[in-house]
Amino acid sequence: MIAVDGRTLTYGDVVAVAHGFERVALSEGVLERLERDRAVVEDVVDRGIPTYGLTTGLGTRSSYALPREELELFSVRTVRGRANAVGGPLPVPVVRAALLARVNGIAGGGSGVRPGTVRLLVDMLNARVHPVVPEVGSIGASDLCQMAHVGLVVIGEGSAEHGGEVLEGATALRRASLAPVRLGPKDGIVLCGASPLAAGQGALALHETAAVLLLAQAVTALTYEGFRANTSPLDPRVLGLRPAPGQARAAGELLALLSGGELPRNARRVQDPVSLRCSAQVHGAAYAALDFASAALHPELNGCGDNPVVLAGTGEILSSGNFHTPALALGLDTLALALTQTAALSAERMRRLLDPAVSGLPANLSPYGPERSGFAPLAKTAQALVAEVRMLSVPVSTDPRHGADAVEDDSTNAFLGARRLATMLDRLRLLLAVEAVVAAQAVDLAAPPAPGRGPEFLHRAIRAVVPPLEDDRPCGVDVEAVAREILSDEDVRSTLRAWVGELS
């Protein structure tokens, strides 16, 4: 059970709910907090105080005073009028992550929503009622046009997936023994507001990024063994002379993975190509970018992104810019660029292994040498993957889109920045699988007397799935098998994390 309090939600919690279908509960004290906030909303309504999105319209209609008798209907119109997203449905884990992020954002206070509305969101998660949310519609000025599709299901409209079927919203709720809620003043904008899609998708992406960067370290260590690389660039004394962000961590992890082997005493060259020699610098930069993105994402996951916000202590409702996510968009862009550097380095390490003049191994890593193609054609696949990763790394935070004329004149594209990371990580895993398949062959041919524990573990896992290359054969299926059965395997990841975790 994941207890939601609005302040302590972790990426692991998001993964557990999104992928593991872990149940969710509101922490003690949350409902009382929501009741206090709601009392402020009701008081403002009773006194007719002009308040954005509550007693006035939204966007360019913010100067329009709403009649008291229309406030509940306005909430419903807010949901219906903003459910304008298009495209294929977002994956269920992303929708679950967004629902959890919205529940957590509400639980921390400041939204003023009726408590029954957030209770229904929790019940939908636990009953696995998943609103169908189209993939395109957010420009990063809140995820309005997509989260409105969640709001439709809350009021018994729209569509939802339940039990493997896509049903009308009311039908999905009924089958789960749930009932729609009646929206009150402000409830509509709360259901549509903030950036829970960016936060939820971002949490999933950052959690997976940490795992993929560790896999990049492990695959690099395997390449080190096959190439018989020089480990002196990983020496802490060398790195201490220019302590670039993240490089000490990356170098320490590589040495931890290589421990137990004879590589430091068995290096083949005085100085290796940059793709091997500077792995710690590039992977360290990626770790630094991950830290930057994480610092920007945490307040989106554990903060109030509503507009306006309720201050129960003073009984006020104030206009807010907390829905705006420039730091998150910048962090996600930075991480995308760092992943591109990591991808490019992997492809180049793989190519160095194929070149006998550099590696000292048979051409194309074929036992027959230049008489066979070996892994040479796989280099094209690697470059194609790098091209896709590079294309997806184009910054989105520098291309603001306008919303409502005159008032919504900037945006961040944060959700797009998070969503493209999922594709980038998928391509990077495949690219690392290419390098892993080739590096395993290099280890077979180089036959190091005592490989380090990380390379030995990874080599053994690969050989349990993919045999060594003798004569030419299709290798794409081997790459996909390694990506699916090894690099995506939680036991493999846990073992690697345990080894590098010894550093701390």
Side-chain angles (χ1 to χ4, degrees), residues 239 242-251 279-289 291:
L239 300 177
R242 194 212 62 169
Q247 70 176 11
R249 172 185 175 180
S279 292
Q281 281 74 18
V282 173
H283 294 177
Y287 277 134
D291 290 342

Side-chain angles (χ1 to χ4, degrees), residues 34-59:
L34 299 185
E35 293 284 3
R36 289 194 297 271
D37 287 352
R38 187 64 193 182
V40 175
V41 172
E42 300 294 351
D43 178 63
V44 167
V45 169
D46 289 342
R47 291 191 288 153
I49 299 174
T51 305
Y52 177 77
L54 177 56
T55 59
T56 76
L58 298 168

Side-chain angles (χ1 to χ4, degrees), residues 126-440:
N126 291 335
R128 304 189 185 186
V129 175
H130 307 125
V132 175
V133 180
E135 62 184 348
V136 180
S138 174
I139 59 173
S142 292
D143 297 324
L144 289 168
C145 290
Q146 288 174 288
M147 288 304 294
H149 290 265
V150 173
L152 287 178
V153 177
V154 168
I155 62 175
E157 300 177 13
S159 300
E161 182 274 333
H162 178 63
E165 292 183 75
V166 175
L167 308 164
E168 292 183 352
T171 303
L173 290 175
R174 186 171 62 252
R175 288 194 183 178
S177 299
L178 302 175
V181 298
R182 180 178 176 179
L183 299 185
K186 200 179 187 296
D187 291 347
I189 191 61
V190 172
L191 285 170
C192 301
S195 303
L197 274 168
Q201 174 94 73
L204 295 177
L206 266 59
H207 185 272
E208 180 63 11
T209 297
V212 169
L213 289 179
L214 179 55
L215 293 170
Q217 293 275 77
V219 172
T220 299
L222 185 63
T223 296
Y224 266 50
E225 291 287 2
F227 194 86
R228 290 157 293 161
N230 191 325
T231 60
S232 67
L234 305 178
D235 192 309
R237 296 169 298 176
V238 174
L239 300 177
L241 295 173
R242 194 212 62 169
Q247 70 176 11
R249 172 185 175 180
E253 289 182 355
L254 283 169
L255 290 174
L257 292 166
L258 290 167
S259 68
E262 297 186 5
L263 190 57
R265 299 185 297 278
N266 196 31
R268 195 174 49 84
R269 298 166 59 100
V270 173
Q271 181 158 280
D272 295 326
V274 168
S275 57
L276 285 96
R277 192 182 352 141
C278 298
S279 292
Q281 281 74 18
V282 173
H283 294 177
Y287 277 134
L290 178 58
D291 290 342
F292 175 45
S294 184
L297 179 60
H298 188 268
E300 302 303 331
L301 200 60
N302 287 284
C304 175
D306 284 273
N307 178 39
V309 293
V310 176
L311 303 178
T314 59
E316 297 176 277
I317 301 180
L318 302 182
S319 178
S320 163
N322 286 351
F323 62 89
H324 207 44
T325 53
L328 176 59
L330 183 61
L332 296 172
D333 276 348
T334 303
L335 186 56
L337 293 169
L339 291 176
T340 304
Q341 291 183 334
T342 301
L345 212 66
S346 174
E348 292 309 310
R349 285 193 300 265
M350 176 262 194
R351 291 177 64 190
R352 298 295 82 76
L353 288 172
L354 301 180
D355 186 350
V358 180
S359 70
L361 298 170
N364 304 324
L365 297 186
S366 169
Y368 295 93
E371 296 179 12
R372 299 289 193 275
S373 297
F375 289 108
L378 204 53
K380 294 183 175 64
T381 302
Q383 292 301 321
L385 289 166
V386 172
E388 287 202 32
V389 170
R390 183 177 291 117
M391 175 190 68
L392 290 165
S393 72
V394 174
V396 300
S397 60
T398 56
D399 182 31
R401 306 282 93 201
H402 294 175
D405 290 343
V407 291
E408 295 176 5
D409 53 357
D410 191 50
S411 60
T412 68
N413 296 313
F415 174 58
L416 176 59
R419 183 161 64 92
R420 55 83 187 273
L421 285 178
T423 305
M424 292 184 75
L425 291 166
D426 176 69
R427 298 299 185 264
L428 182 52
R429 273 192 306 271
L430 284 170
L431 181 59
L432 291 171
V434 172
E435 182 185 356
V437 167
V438 173

Side-chain angles (χ1 to χ4, degrees), residues 68-157:
R68 175 67 179 83
E69 62 273 13
E70 289 189 12
L71 296 186
E72 290 190 4
L73 181 58
F74 180 69
S75 272
V76 175
R77 287 174 178 160
T78 297
V79 171
R80 289 174 178 163
R82 279 156 185 76
N84 295 311
V86 297
L90 289 172
V92 164
V94 174
V95 174
R96 290 183 61 83
L99 286 174
L100 178 63
R102 193 65 193 113
V103 167
N104 195 58
I106 292 172
S111 74
V113 72
R114 283 179 172 172
T117 302
V118 72
R119 280 199 297 261
L120 178 57
L121 293 177
V122 171
D123 290 342
M124 287 166 59
L125 275 169
N126 291 335
R128 304 189 185 186
V129 175
H130 307 125
V132 175
V133 180
E135 62 184 348
V136 180
S138 174
I139 59 173
S142 292
D143 297 324
L144 289 168
C145 290
Q146 288 174 288
M147 288 304 294
H149 290 265
V150 173
L152 287 178
V153 177
V154 168
I155 62 175
E157 300 177 13

